[in-house]
């Protein structure tokens, strides 16, 4: 279970559990169970490898 630190569309820091990675970004579920799509340029820290399954 990978935790991703990122900025939401309002530039607020959020963190959540990685759901899936795409070439252009990732989806995460935050603590409330809300699913976010995060483009690569909003990810704080290392970007997870692409999940090509």
């Amino acid at each position: 279970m990978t935790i991703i630190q990122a900025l939401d569309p309002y530039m607020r820091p959020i963190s959540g559990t990685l759901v899936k990675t795409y070439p252009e970004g990732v989806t995460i579920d935050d603590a409330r169970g809300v699913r976010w799509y995060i483009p690569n340029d909003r990810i704080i820290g290392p970007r997870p490898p692409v999940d090509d399954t």
Side-chain angles (χ1 to χ4, degrees):
M1 192 179 307
T2 304
I3 301 298
I4 302 295
Q5 304 281 334
L7 296 172
D8 75 5
Y10 308 101
M11 302 306 285
R12 295 177 304 201
I14 58 171
S15 63
T17 305
L18 179 65
V19 177
K20 186 160 177 62
T21 58
Y22 302 94
E24 68 281 357
V26 301
T27 49
I28 65 173
D29 283 344
D30 71 11
R32 297 173 308 187
V34 177
R35 185 155 294 178
W36 297 87
Y37 173 76
I38 307 292
N40 288 334
D41 61 359
R42 296 281 180 89
I43 298 171
I44 301 168
R47 187 199 182 289
V50 173
D51 176 13
D52 56 6
T53 57

